[in-house]
Amino acid sequence: MCGIIGYIGNENASELVFKGLKRLEYRGYDSWGIAIKNGNEIFSKKCVGAIGDAEYTFPKSMVAIAHTRWATHGNVSEINAHPHFCCKKHIAVVHNGIIENYHELRKELEEKGHEFLSDTDTEVIAHLLEEFLEKGYNLEKALKETVKKLEGSYAILVIHKDDHAIYFAKKDSPLCIGIADHGFFVASDPVAFIDHTNNIIFLEDYEIGYVNTHPKIFDIHGKEKYRKPIKVDWKLEQAEKNGYEYYMEKEIFEQKETIIRAVSHEKEKIEKITKLIDNAFGVFFIGSGSSYYACLVSSYIFSKIAKKHVNVVDASEFGYYKHFLTPRTLIVAVSQSGETADVLDAVKKAKEKHAKILAITNVISSTLARISDYLLPMQAGPEICVVSTKTFTSQLALLTLLAYTLAGKYNEGKEKIIEAAKAIETILSPENKKSIEELAKKLKDKEHIFCLGRGVSYALALEAALKIKEVTYIHAEGFSGGFLKHGTIALIEKDTPCIVFAPKDETYKEIISNAQEVKARGAFVIGVSPENNKVFDYWIKVPNLKEATAIANIIPIQYLAYQIAKLKGYNPDRPRNLAKSVTVK
Ligand code: F6R
């Protein structure tokens, strides 16, 4: 969940690493720190809170590493912020991941006289390295012996006060090397250095090595590996705000293009993937958070359009289904980042059973993309805001197109999706934006918001509630219209806001009855519908897009959540406690 970056080269490492760290903030932002090789000493600085727009002047150097943290072990404090050091402060370490056996390792090291300063799991790495260096090993060998002792996940960067190099090791957390003409970067995500190079080596699990005047990569047994860099086609502008106040706003408005891009794959490619779904003996759609909801929405579309049953499982629960898996099972793993630990763990379990894996991801260099048998990129460009907006609708667009293609209706599916993308102009027209902004004012001080939907709109209600919770910190819950009266209706009282998704599909009559039920108990009913209804106290007008409804109908609620967050003075790009890639289980 954390972000790490290092640089070694002819330019000022402190400045490059600090700048790159700001772009990694989406991975965690409760504290940050930097270690700089300053002559034969290590200079360091740690701070609690997000880096934001902070500016610091650090000593000039050719070697530096840095870290932005999303706390796992140890509370948020300066002492627990990375980098961590060995007893003599000769070694500095930054780490993304979790060392599961750190208790035992720490005990062993303390018995040998090592003094620990922090409560983190990471600090054991610095002391283990020190222990091996004291045995006379060089840093490369010390790192190899250290990682042999670690259980869990890690992307590690290490510097030593007397060594002109950055050492690295990787297992189950992303790490890549950027090869620039003035030096080398090593970071969790290319976004950190994409303004310097797009020539990148994505490291594999159990690879360790160092960069000095060139990269050296070894396997765990010390055998050298020669890895060819690949070119990544992301551009810096895609990772910038381009005049918008927040990334969330930019990414909401980008959806009119990203939805179309999602379905711009060659027809043959979509047909080939569809055949996999058709021929599989059991299909499981898996994902986490919003990606899981995208799977859930799509399962209705598969059922309705393609007459195909697909199982949908929250990735973190998928392991318990492994008994059903066979080599003929197809897993459709949906993940924006392709680094979500729950998804990767599920995929690994499925692979043990020889099931086939189709990855739908936005990051084609991600671990998920690399370990899957088939890949369908979302092509949304980097999503920087911590909460998903454009990638959710890209997932929906792709899965919808697969369902249509499976029904032999590729062209019809594509047309509907393009129509949905075009409808965003109307949904977010100046008049509609104003109306949503007015609604945000009415809702900003509410304690609870409920969201209701049926059919494809059921999972949309779940996603709407998730968006509201994430950025406004208002308690929001999504329910199916039918489920409400089995208990939750007890929570409805005078003026409780209820967002009701009422598209003109087979759910319309019943969801309107559910709206009436909550209204009878005093609820303030907000209808998201192509048609006004007397039960609505507030109407969010959306076009009638039939089967492509779900893709467009979430957009006004994304914008509503964004507006409420702003009115409450919260930064929607950096919600508290969250991180973009959840790389821990
Ligand atoms: C919600 C959100 C998260 C992610 C979830 C899965 O706005 O961003 O719920 O959807 O953490 O992430 P990916 O899709 O990267 O696997």
Side-chain angles (χ1 to χ4, degrees):
M1 310 279 283
C2 307
I4 62 176
I5 176 167
Y7 172 78
I8 183 164
N10 299 331
E11 297 205 351
N12 182 4
S14 334
E15 211 179 287
L16 294 193
V17 151
F18 190 59
K19 206 169 118 211
L21 195 64
K22 289 181 175 178
R23 288 211 208 101
L24 289 179
E25 252 201 318
Y26 73 89
R27 302 179 63 88
Y29 38 84
D30 55 38
S31 51
W32 61 272
I34 185 165
I36 298 163
K37 184 167 144 46
N38 188 22
N40 285 90
E41 280 184 359
I42 292 181
F43 168 91
S44 67
K45 167 95 188 157
K46 302 186 191 195
C47 283
V48 168
I51 312 175
D53 297 325
E55 290 303 337
Y56 287 87
T57 312
F58 299 118
K60 271 196 168 171
S61 172
M62 294 173 83
V63 186
I65 57 175
H67 183 276
T68 182
R69 182 169 186 243
W70 185 85
T72 55
H73 293 69
N75 61 359
V76 178
S77 66
E78 220 169 89
I79 210 80
N80 287 335
H82 298 215
H84 292 287
F85 304 97
C86 62
C87 299
K88 299 196 199 94
K89 210 186 168 185
H90 291 179
I91 300 166
V93 175
V94 293
H95 162 227
N96 170 30
I98 290 186
I99 307 305
E100 283 159 9
N101 58 337
Y102 87 102
H103 267 302
E104 304 93 89
L105 292 172
R106 180 168 176 152
K107 195 159 163 273
E108 264 175 46
L109 287 158
E110 279 174 338
E111 279 164 11
K112 287 182 180 158
H114 288 262
E115 274 183 42
F116 282 73
L117 299 179
S118 75
D119 304 317
T120 64
D121 51 336
T122 302
E123 200 180 341
V124 296
I125 301 170
H127 292 279
L128 276 171
L129 286 165
E130 182 172 49
E131 190 67 21
F132 286 117
L133 286 185
E134 276 167 11
K135 281 192 180 159
Y137 293 5
N138 63 20
L139 200 43
E140 184 193 320
K141 183 141 192 250
L143 182 58
K144 203 163 76 195
E145 293 308 314
T146 297
V147 296
K148 278 188 194 162
K149 285 186 151 288
L150 304 180
E151 286 169 20
S153 55
Y154 51 79
I156 305 168
L157 300 182
V158 180
I159 58 171
H160 188 282
K161 74 177 187 61
D162 297 325
D163 208 331
H164 184 77
I166 297 173
Y167 291 79
F168 56 78
K170 170 198 160 22
K171 181 187 165 252
D172 291 337
S173 293
L175 199 60
C176 59
I177 302 175
I179 303 168
D181 50 12
H182 50 76
F184 298 98
F185 292 87
V186 193
S188 310
D189 182 334
V191 155
F193 54 74
I194 203 73
D195 46 340
H196 292 270
T197 180
N198 64 353
N199 210 15
I200 298 163
I201 298 174
F202 290 94
L203 293 163
E204 306 280 352
D205 281 352
Y206 301 106
E207 285 182 338
I208 70 169
Y210 57 86
V211 278
N212 47 24
T213 51
H214 49 267
K216 280 267 183 199
I217 304 171
F218 304 93
D219 70 12
I220 197 78
H221 309 293
K223 190 163 173 268
E224 190 165 354
K225 292 176 84 177
Y226 298 94
R227 302 281 314 282
K228 259 184 125 179
I230 59 167
K231 294 247 187 261
V232 170
D233 66 354
W234 284 10
K235 299 196 176 49
L236 183 63
E237 311 82 79
Q238 291 180 298
E240 309 249 286
K241 285 191 210 144
N242 295 343
Y244 285 96
E245 194 177 351
Y246 289 101
Y247 285 108
M248 184 172 180
E249 188 186 17
K250 175 192 170 215
E251 289 160 6
I252 289 172
F253 282 87
E254 259 184 292
Q255 291 174 104
K256 47 186 182 292
E257 291 113 40
T258 52
I259 290 170
I260 295 179
R261 267 211 310 274
V263 295
S264 67
H265 294 280
E266 296 284 311
K267 185 176 178 198
E268 292 69 39
K269 178 159 186 170
I270 297 292
E271 281 172 347
K272 196 176 144 214
I273 299 282
T274 310
K275 277 207 182 87
L276 295 173
I277 298 176
D278 205 16
N279 294 340
F281 194 70
V283 179
F284 286 83
F285 284 9
I286 61 164
S288 300
S290 294
S291 299
Y292 167 68
Y293 293 149
C295 294
L296 207 53
V297 173
S298 312
S299 69
Y300 287 90
I301 302 172
F302 266 81
S303 153
K304 187 169 175 187
I305 304 297
K307 317 279 183 276
K308 172 90 183 166
H309 170 73
V310 295
N311 302 282
V312 182
V313 186
D314 160 12
S316 66
E317 286 293 308
F318 181 76
Y320 310 114
Y321 282 88
K322 68 178 175 197
H323 315 283
F324 286 109
L325 307 180
T326 74
R328 290 190 59 194
T329 314
L330 178 72
I331 310 300
V332 181
V334 181
S335 169
Q336 183 283 128
S337 61
E339 298 295 348
T340 300
D342 289 328
V343 175
L344 295 180
D345 191 57
V347 164
K348 284 177 189 162
K349 289 196 169 110
K351 280 172 80 88
E352 281 163 20
K353 294 277 187 178
H354 307 289
K356 292 281 173 289
I357 317 294
L358 162 64
I360 299 189
T361 181
N362 196 31
V363 186
I364 53 168
S365 53
S366 62
T367 309
L368 177 66
R370 280 179 283 125
I371 65 174
S372 298
D373 302 290
Y374 310 96
L375 172 65
L376 200 48
M378 293 178 201
Q379 314 186 130
E383 189 176 62
I384 308 287
C385 173
V386 163
V387 303
S388 307
T389 51
K390 63 174 179 173
T391 56
F392 176 75
T393 49
S394 295
Q395 292 165 352
L396 285 185
L398 261 176
L399 289 165
T400 303
L401 185 62
L402 290 178
Y404 272 91
T405 311
L406 189 56
K409 298 179 181 169
Y410 170 87
N411 288 338
E412 189 185 332
K414 200 158 169 178
E415 272 162 30
K416 279 192 185 292
I417 292 157
I418 292 172
E419 202 189 324
K422 287 192 179 143
I424 297 171
E425 290 285 357
T426 322
I427 294 172
L428 294 177
S429 68
E431 192 192 330
N432 284 1
K433 270 171 60 189
K434 217 164 155 239
S435 158
I436 296 171
E437 285 158 20
E438 285 306 312
L439 179 61
K441 287 185 199 150
K442 285 186 196 293
L443 301 189
K444 75 177 185 18
D445 298 318
K446 296 290 180 189
E447 216 178 318
H448 309 283
I449 298 179
F450 295 100
C451 304
L452 304 181
R454 284 172 172 264
V456 285
S457 306
Y458 161 50
L460 222 52
L462 303 181
E463 171 63 7
L466 184 63
K467 286 291 89 80
I468 294 168
K469 275 186 278 209
E470 283 177 307
V471 297
T472 72
Y473 315 147
I474 295 174
H475 169 242
E477 291 298 333
F479 296 97
S480 66
F483 197 84
L484 191 78
K485 55 190 166 297
H486 299 288
T488 314
I489 202 157
L491 298 178
I492 307 292
E493 45 188 38
K494 185 159 165 22
D495 291 333
T496 306
C498 286
I499 296 175
V500 178
F501 288 96
K504 290 295 280 178
D505 63 10
E506 77 270 24
T507 66
Y508 187 76
K509 271 196 187 144
E510 283 169 350
I511 199 71
I512 292 294
S513 302
N514 298 134
Q516 259 142 6
E517 286 155 16
V518 289
K519 182 142 177 147
R521 278 133 190 110
F524 177 74
V525 176
I526 302 145
V528 181
S529 182
E531 182 175 287
N532 203 353
N533 189 296
K534 60 180 182 330
V535 72
F536 300 155
D537 297 295
Y538 212 93
W539 177 36
I540 298 180
K541 188 177 175 189
V542 285
N544 184 3
L545 293 161
K546 309 239 166 55
E547 282 70 31
T549 279
I551 300 172
N553 281 9
I554 193 63
I555 291 169
I557 308 304
Q558 293 172 344
Y559 190 66
L560 175 68
Y562 168 73
Q563 284 300 332
I564 299 176
K566 272 204 340 176
L567 287 173
K568 295 182 86 165
Y570 301 140
N571 177 347
D573 288 342
R574 303 275 179 269
R576 69 182 178 210
N577 301 338
L578 303 188
K580 184 91 186 139
S581 316
V582 186
T583 55
V584 292
K585 283 217 281 168

